[in-house]
């Protein structure tokens, strides 16, 4: 098993990898948008929405269940039981993913014609079905390596997967797909599947080479299904709602007077704005990937003091980092989107969504912590409720207000989800958060952004905002010597 090192140091290790992968992914999105246009990106988003729903149904909660049960066994110092956890997880994953893959393959023409309204996407959907079991099994292995603290190994494999996926996709686009949107969808799916094959192969070989203990056989089915099935049912429902939402948006946008190309507008927001908006969150995804097993280990060992420390430190990081990124994206949005996509419209929409990064980034961390504390059912209840609410709001608001209605629905539902998740975290940990700190951070950010916006050059605006924000936080006492010592300690590790 992995050497015991601080969770935030491991998060720093994953940060560089995640930023690299995000940068490559965003660059590839720019490449695709220049090759197949906004309408083609919109079609790709619809295909990937179907793929996401199928993958959620196929993985059936097993990745989180594997991570949680592995961390629990390690926390109770029973490493020999991990082999039975993995055996049960593999069998469960094969049954679920195989069933979903067969259904997806057989229903591909109906999904392409009836849901996406483009029969040309049938082959891309069938290709998704062919790779689905491999993708789900690789998810099981990544769950194990995360819980086992093999972060360096996992990061290296993720880089290799992304490189393989990119190379295969570019080759398929160059030699076969050209600028055809339907073929481009197949090329992207093929590249993703090739990366999943590489991940499964590498992680399986590394696991087989481990000299791990083996305990007498233990009953794992009930524990595995007790965690995975509720997650699977809830995730499937949420994914179905999310897919229905994505398929509905272009159709309802078309009813708004003045919308010329609803598919292109949908592609601009989801395929251009959202990747840039969530690109800085790569740092937080590295942290949340580790928070779930770490919280599970601490919860199993009864380390309440450690749980409280992780909760406050993680929320503080998310608040400060989200505030920094939100201001930079707000100030640089027009020039950034123009240079990336050649689109002034994307810059306008990025400015709408940029201030929400504070809430979105804090919600990412909060959701990971309540899952790590065994509150998966509560988490998925909140997600299902807010997803259903989102569909209702979109159905009503899109024909009346167009893309402004989409933004309003996004804002309302994410606020509700964050409040519910944060309240749950506070209840189970019996902790509170400082409202004064949050208000001071936001006020400082608003003042800093207002002053920095006077500069003409985007780089000057961003640099000025960063300096003003840090100065304001130090002046107000939000950033102090303890934070500096903590950061120095991470670097020394």
């Amino acid at each position: 098993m992995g050497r015991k090192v601080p969770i935030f140091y491991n998060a720093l290790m994953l940060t560089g990898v995640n930023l690299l992968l995000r940068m490559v992914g965003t660059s590839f999105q720019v490449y695709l948008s220049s090759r197949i246009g906004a309408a083609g990106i919109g079609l790709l988003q619809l295909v990937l929405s179907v793929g996401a729903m199928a993958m959620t149904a196929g993985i059936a909660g097993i990745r989180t269940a594997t991570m949680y049960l592995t961390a629990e066994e390690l926390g109770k110092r029973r490493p020999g039981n991990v082999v039975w956890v993995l055996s049960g997880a593999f069998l469960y994953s094969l049954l679920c993913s195989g069933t979903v893959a067969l259904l997806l393959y057989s229903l591909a023409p109906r999904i392409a014609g009836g849901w996406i309204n483009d029969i040309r996407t049938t082959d891309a959907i069938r290709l998704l079905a062919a790779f689905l079991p491999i993708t789900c099994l690789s998810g099981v292995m990544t769950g194990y390596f995360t819980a086992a603290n093999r972060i360096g190994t996992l990061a290296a494999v993720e880089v290799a997967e992304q490189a393989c996926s990119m190379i295969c996709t570019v080759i398929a686009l160059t030699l076969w797909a050209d600028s055809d949107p339907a073929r481009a969808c197949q090329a992207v799916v093929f590249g993703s599947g090739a990366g999943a094959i590489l991940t499964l192969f590498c992680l399986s070989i590394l696991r087989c080479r481990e000299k791990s203990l083996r305990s007498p056989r233990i009953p794992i089915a009930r524990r595995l299904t007790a965690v995975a099935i509720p997650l699977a049912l809830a995730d499937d429902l949420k994914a179905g709602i999310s897919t229905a939402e994505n398929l509905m948006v272009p159709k309802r946008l078309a009813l708004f007077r003045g919308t010329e190309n609803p598919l292109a507008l949908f592609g601009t927001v989801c395929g251009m704005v959202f990747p840039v908006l969530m690109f800085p969150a790569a740092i937080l995804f590295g942290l949340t990937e580790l928070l779930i097993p770490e919280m599970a280990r601490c919860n199993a060992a009864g380390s309440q003091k450690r749980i409280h420390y992780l909760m406050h430190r993680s929320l503080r990081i998310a608040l400060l980092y989200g505030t920094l990124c939100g201001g930079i994206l707000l100030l640089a949005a027009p020039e950034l989107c123009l240079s990336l996509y050649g689109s002034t419209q994307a810059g306008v929409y990025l400015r709408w969504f940029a201030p929400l990064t504070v809430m979105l980034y804090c919600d990412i961390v909060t959701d990971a912590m309540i899952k790590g504390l065994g509150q998966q059912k509560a988490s998925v209840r909140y997600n299902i409720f807010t997803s259903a609410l989102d569909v209702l709001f979109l159905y009503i608001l899109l024909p009346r207000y167009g893309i402004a209605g989409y933004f309003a629905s996004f804002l309302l539902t994410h606020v509700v989800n964050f409040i519910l998740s944060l309240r749950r975290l506070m209840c189970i940990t019996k902790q509170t958060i400082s409202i004064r700190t949050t208000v001071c951070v936001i006020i400082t950010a608003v003042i800093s952004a207002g002053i920095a916006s006077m500069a003409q050059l985007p780089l000057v605006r961003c640099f000025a905002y960063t300096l003003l924000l840090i100065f304001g936080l130090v002046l107000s006492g939000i950033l102090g010597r303890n934070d500096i010592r903590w950061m120095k300690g991470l670097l020394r590790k």
Side-chain angles (χ1 to χ4, degrees):
M1 299 302 160
R3 178 171 55 91
K4 183 67 176 176
V5 291
I7 180 176
F8 292 104
Y9 176 69
N10 275 336
L12 281 178
M13 186 194 304
L14 282 179
T15 292
V17 176
N18 283 333
L19 282 175
L20 174 63
L21 297 181
R22 285 273 169 157
M23 189 180 299
V24 171
T26 303
S27 301
F28 187 64
Q29 196 77 7
V30 173
Y31 166 73
L32 279 178
S33 65
S34 65
R35 186 146 192 164
I36 60 178
I41 290 292
L43 185 66
L44 177 62
Q45 290 298 317
L46 295 181
V47 172
L48 295 180
S49 295
V50 173
M53 182 181 68
M55 189 173 71
T56 301
I59 207 165
I62 195 58
R63 184 183 184 277
T64 302
T66 303
M67 188 188 304
Y68 183 81
L69 292 179
T70 299
E72 192 173 57
E73 294 299 331
L74 296 177
K76 294 180 179 179
R77 301 186 183 279
R78 300 185 303 214
N81 290 346
V82 171
V83 66
W84 305 116
V85 172
L86 286 177
S87 298
F90 259 74
L91 180 60
Y92 177 94
S93 182
L94 282 172
L95 290 173
C96 294
S97 61
T99 303
V100 173
L102 288 174
L103 287 173
L104 183 64
Y105 189 90
S106 60
L107 295 176
R110 294 185 181 181
I111 294 172
W115 293 8
I116 301 179
N117 292 329
D118 194 328
I119 197 67
R120 296 176 301 168
T121 60
T122 300
D123 291 336
I125 295 171
R126 284 180 168 165
L127 201 57
L128 281 168
F131 285 118
L132 185 61
I134 296 169
T135 304
C136 295
L137 288 174
S138 66
V140 172
M141 294 306 298
T142 57
Y144 160 73
F145 274 82
T146 302
N149 212 25
R150 298 284 301 277
I151 305 304
T153 300
L154 193 58
V157 173
E158 286 180 352
V159 171
E161 176 187 357
Q162 185 74 359
C164 176
S165 178
M166 292 282 294
I167 292 170
C168 292
T169 302
V170 170
I171 290 174
L173 284 170
T174 304
L175 300 181
W176 177 68
D178 198 21
S179 58
D180 187 320
R183 287 191 171 190
C185 292
Q186 294 178 54
V188 172
V189 173
F190 170 74
S192 177
I197 291 173
L198 180 64
T199 296
L200 180 59
F201 176 78
C202 292
L203 294 183
S204 298
I205 292 296
L206 291 172
R207 168 59 188 172
C208 291
R209 294 178 66 180
E210 287 181 356
K211 295 180 180 180
S212 55
L213 300 173
R214 176 172 296 197
S215 67
R217 189 179 186 88
I218 60 169
I220 197 66
R222 181 174 295 180
R223 291 173 59 200
L224 191 66
T225 54
V227 178
I229 289 180
L231 278 174
L233 294 175
D235 287 350
D236 289 348
L237 183 56
K238 181 189 172 184
I241 294 173
S242 178
T243 303
E245 172 190 321
N246 288 334
L247 297 174
M248 178 188 69
V249 168
K251 296 178 183 179
R252 299 299 290 177
L253 270 177
L255 301 178
F256 178 67
R257 186 174 57 185
T259 303
E260 297 179 359
N261 193 338
L263 190 60
L265 186 57
F266 173 72
T268 299
V269 174
C270 294
M272 297 181 184
V273 173
F274 284 173
V276 175
L277 185 73
M278 300 309 294
F279 171 75
I283 292 177
L284 294 181
F285 287 133
L287 174 61
T288 56
E289 188 76 4
L290 303 173
L291 272 176
I292 295 178
E294 183 71 10
M295 285 288 195
R297 280 191 290 265
C298 293
N299 200 34
S303 304
Q304 293 301 312
K305 186 176 180 180
R306 171 73 169 163
I307 290 173
H308 297 163
Y309 168 77
L310 288 174
M311 186 198 77
H312 287 293
R313 179 61 68 181
S314 300
L315 286 175
R316 184 179 179 84
I317 290 171
L319 172 65
L320 297 177
Y321 185 66
T323 304
L324 175 65
C325 294
I328 291 175
L329 290 174
L330 178 70
L331 294 169
E335 295 83 0
L336 184 61
C337 288
L338 190 63
S339 61
L340 288 176
Y341 305 112
S343 171
T344 55
Q345 190 180 39
V348 173
Y349 298 145
L350 181 57
R351 275 197 159 177
W352 289 11
F353 287 94
L356 304 186
T357 53
V358 180
M359 177 191 64
L360 294 176
Y361 290 9
C362 288
D363 188 43
I364 291 170
V365 172
T366 303
D367 187 63
M369 286 191 286
I370 62 175
K371 285 180 179 177
L373 292 172
Q375 301 294 312
Q376 292 93 343
K377 293 180 181 179
S379 175
V380 294
R381 278 202 309 270
Y382 303 152
N383 289 333
I384 289 171
F385 170 70
T386 52
S387 295
L389 202 62
D390 196 28
V391 171
L392 177 63
F393 285 160
L394 289 173
Y395 188 85
I396 296 172
L397 296 176
L398 286 177
R400 297 182 182 182
Y401 303 104
I403 201 65
Y406 183 93
F407 174 78
S409 177
F410 184 93
L411 173 62
L412 290 172
T413 54
H414 281 77
V415 166
V416 171
N417 186 280
F418 177 57
I419 291 174
L420 290 173
S421 299
L422 186 62
R423 178 178 174 274
R424 185 71 176 183
L425 181 63
M426 297 298 103
C427 289
I428 59 179
T429 59
K430 296 181 174 58
Q431 295 289 296
T432 58
I433 58 173
S434 174
I435 302 299
R436 175 189 169 277
T437 299
T438 305
V439 172
C440 286
V441 170
I442 292 175
I443 291 175
T444 304
V446 171
I447 295 173
S448 302
I451 297 174
S453 63
M454 298 177 185
Q456 295 296 321
L457 297 175
L459 286 177
V460 176
R461 289 198 297 266
C462 295
F463 184 70
Y465 170 76
T466 302
L467 290 181
L468 289 169
L469 180 65
I470 294 174
F471 177 75
L473 293 177
V474 172
L475 195 65
S476 61
I478 304 300
L479 281 178
R481 292 182 179 179
N482 289 335
D483 297 290
I484 296 173
R485 289 195 196 102
W486 177 75
M487 288 185 284
K488 285 182 178 178
L490 289 181
L491 295 176
R492 288 195 192 102
K493 292 290 182 182

